[in-house]
Amino acid sequence: MSRAEQPSRRTVLTAAVVAAVAGSGGPAVAEGAGGAVTDAADPAQAPVRPVDNRFWTTYTDWRGGTAKGTRAVAGSRPGVVIGAPAGMTDYTDPHTGRTAAWEYATWTSPVHKLAVPATEAIASWNAHTPAGTWLQVELKGTYSDGSATPWYVMGRWAAGDQDIKRTSVDDQSDGKSSISTDTFAVDDPATGLRLASYRLRLTLYRKPGTKTTPTVWRLGAMGSDVPDRFTVPASAPGLAQELIVPRYSQEIHVGQYPEYDNGGEAWCSPTSSQMIIEYWGGRLTREQLAWVDPSYADPQVCHAARFTYDHQYAGCGNWPFNAAYAATFKGLQGVVTRLGSLTDLETLIAAGIPAMTSQSFLKEELTGAGYGTAGHLMTVIGFTASGDVIANDPASPSNETVRRVYKRREWENIWLRTKRYNAGGKVVSGTGGVCYLYFPDRPTSRQLKALAAVGVR
């Protein structure tokens, strides 16, 4: 997203050859850094949080649910694929006007009852979609009053852009809830209405008469009920550690490829994604980058912008599309979730897992930033000895200036609050602790423990 103050796009929120992931616990930590996952990382010791994550990832998961033309596949990374197609349908791409016929098959999850009845839900998925294939994710829920939502489209996605243009779907509402780009939200949480349960439906598409199929390895959603708040309690520093993460500036790409949300000025999300992908060893081949103007530095950032771009939202900040892009790299998976505190981030950093966080703030609310924003992604890579946040901030004038240190109390509040005042004094929404987590498809036991401690499995 852009650094400038802009109107919100959400109801509650503002606005390939790849190196194998090392099995020893991840990439480098800054020399002299310390810290370890403590008992606070034990799920049994974790505080109750207003977030519910449910992901389907195992062979048993994929054997469950309701399959119409899909089948589960086993192996080191179990998934679901097209078996015998359930039928054929036409799809008119709203962004090209082209109509094409597609074979399709569906998999519908069992009903998941939310441990935290939710005001919001965000789906995410990890998949391989070779040329000639794509997928759609939908959510259908039951409200706390017993009534049901319609089937909401949470995204139409392909890793490439040659068959369809990946897209969110606007104008979805039933008078009680609405979809805003990638987020399901109850229209008026003050009424007490909540999403009590949901199912996800996955539709896989391929060109007729072919044997090619998408493969989906992870599908799920994060439901949350974060209370309205302008401030959050301060957490006590608990870790001094810094991860060595590549540093990329979005600002050096200003004006490049304006068809992708006006160029680099708005590329905080894909730029942050690319930093973390490369931290885990992800690399793009020369052939994959051949489309980029050779005079541009860091062509992989241009590539990330193109392949996270949501043609309906007209931006690169669709959260699930970024997580799905990360998972196209060998050995990686990605989810969208919410965290509850800087203690959660410390737990992840101690296990070698950086995080991308979404926050919004006025210029004077974050010392040293030099800008204000209605929604911006940064990469948290560590903490100083005094507990301040070390972030790779892509809204920096050069790669060399990307590493920033922000005051702990300021940073914690702008990330976790759900209400704030904009430059005009109007009350608008905050992001409420949203983050992307990218991590190995075979996490170490230490990484598994840290992920479980923050509610991700």
Side-chain angles (χ1 to χ4, degrees):
M1 298 178 194
S2 166
R3 296 183 305 165
E5 283 284 353
Q6 295 181 351
S8 172
R9 73 173 175 90
R10 292 184 171 88
T11 302
V12 176
L13 307 179
T14 50
V17 173
V18 184
V21 174
S24 61
V29 176
E31 186 174 346
V37 179
T38 65
D39 288 344
D42 184 343
Q45 302 298 320
V48 175
R49 63 184 69 242
V51 176
D52 177 297
N53 289 293
R54 173 62 168 106
F55 293 99
W56 286 267
T57 61
T58 69
Y59 183 66
T60 300
D61 285 339
W62 299 122
R63 293 272 292 175
T66 302
K68 293 183 178 180
T70 58
R71 62 180 177 87
V73 291
S76 60
R77 199 171 188 184
V80 64
V81 299
I82 296 175
M88 189 176 299
T89 188
D90 288 340
Y91 174 65
T92 300
D93 191 316
H95 307 294
T96 65
R98 293 195 300 264
T99 299
W102 299 91
E103 294 178 345
Y104 71 91
T106 66
W107 182 86
T108 306
S109 76
V111 173
H112 173 62
K113 183 178 180 180
L114 287 149
V116 179
T119 58
E120 289 191 334
I122 302 170
S124 51
W125 56 89
N126 297 172
H128 174 56
T129 54
T133 72
W134 57 284
L135 62 84
Q136 175 176 273
V137 174
E138 297 168 277
L139 178 149
K140 182 180 178 67
T142 300
Y143 294 113
S144 52
D145 66 4
S147 60
T149 75
W151 279 108
Y152 284 129
V153 176
M154 305 302 289
R156 293 173 179 151
W157 184 83
D161 52 13
Q162 70 273 35
D163 293 305
I164 68 160
K165 301 301 183 184
R166 76 189 68 81
T167 186
S168 52
V169 177
D170 286 345
D171 301 321
Q172 299 184 82
S173 181
D174 66 353
K176 295 181 177 181
S177 64
S178 304
I179 303 300
S180 184
T181 303
D182 48 22
T183 302
F184 164 97
V186 172
D187 291 338
D188 187 1
T191 64
L193 187 70
R194 296 294 185 268
L195 182 71
S197 65
Y198 66 82
R199 291 176 288 158
L200 296 178
R201 182 165 67 193
L202 177 66
T203 306
L204 306 181
Y205 296 90
R206 72 180 179 196
K207 289 184 176 179
T210 67
K211 298 298 182 183
T212 308
T213 178
T215 304
V216 179
W217 302 298
R218 174 182 281 270
L219 174 69
M222 177 272 294
S224 61
D225 187 6
V226 180
D228 283 348
R229 57 198 184 189
F230 285 89
T231 61
V232 299
S235 63
L239 179 75
Q241 183 168 324
E242 181 175 356
L243 307 178
I244 299 174
V245 176
R247 300 171 189 172
Y248 293 129
S249 164
Q250 70 192 75
E251 298 300 325
I252 67 172
H253 299 279
V254 170
Q256 297 176 4
Y257 299 107
E259 63 267 37
Y260 303 121
D261 197 10
N262 200 34
E265 175 62 22
W267 288 359
C268 61
S269 190
T271 306
S272 294
S273 285
Q274 198 63 35
M275 291 190 234
I276 303 297
I277 288 164
E278 293 188 18
Y279 166 82
W280 289 116
R283 298 292 185 272
L284 292 160
T285 65
R286 183 174 300 177
E287 290 74 21
Q288 287 173 307
L289 296 173
W291 68 273
V292 181
D293 186 324
S295 70
Y296 293 165
D298 303 330
Q300 62 271 40
V301 172
C302 300
H303 186 91
R306 174 180 171 181
F307 291 102
T308 56
Y309 187 73
D310 175 347
H311 288 260
Q312 183 61 43
Y313 170 48
C316 305
N318 182 305
W319 293 334
F321 286 10
N322 275 261
Y325 169 73
T328 64
F329 288 79
K330 184 179 179 182
L332 281 184
Q333 52 187 327
V335 302
V336 180
T337 189
R338 272 194 165 98
L339 302 182
S341 69
L342 284 182
T343 301
D344 284 346
L345 282 180
E346 289 173 337
T347 297
L348 293 166
I349 295 294
I353 303 173
M356 281 146 289
T357 61
S358 179
Q359 45 274 308
S360 49
F361 51 91
L362 301 176
K363 180 178 179 179
E364 59 269 24
E365 290 182 303
L366 188 61
T367 302
Y371 62 90
T373 175
H376 179 59
L377 272 293
M378 301 186 204
T379 297
V380 177
I381 65 170
F383 294 87
T384 67
S386 61
D388 288 339
V389 174
I390 307 171
N392 278 2
D393 187 346
S396 301
S398 66
N399 289 351
E400 293 72 25
T401 58
V402 161
R403 181 189 180 274
R404 306 285 189 93
V405 176
Y406 290 126
K407 292 182 178 180
R408 182 185 185 92
R409 183 63 190 134
E410 291 179 349
W411 199 95
E412 184 168 41
N413 206 59
I414 65 169
W415 173 49
L416 294 173
R417 66 188 176 186
T418 60
K419 296 292 183 184
R420 67 185 187 94
Y421 293 97
N422 67 11
K426 180 182 177 181
V427 175
V428 293
S429 295
T431 55
V434 165
C435 76
Y436 315 162
L437 295 178
Y438 305 161
F439 49 92
D441 64 349
R442 297 185 183 183
T444 65
S445 59
R446 190 182 191 201
Q447 291 163 352
L448 283 171
K449 186 177 181 181
L451 289 164
V454 302
V456 174
R457 292 175 174 82

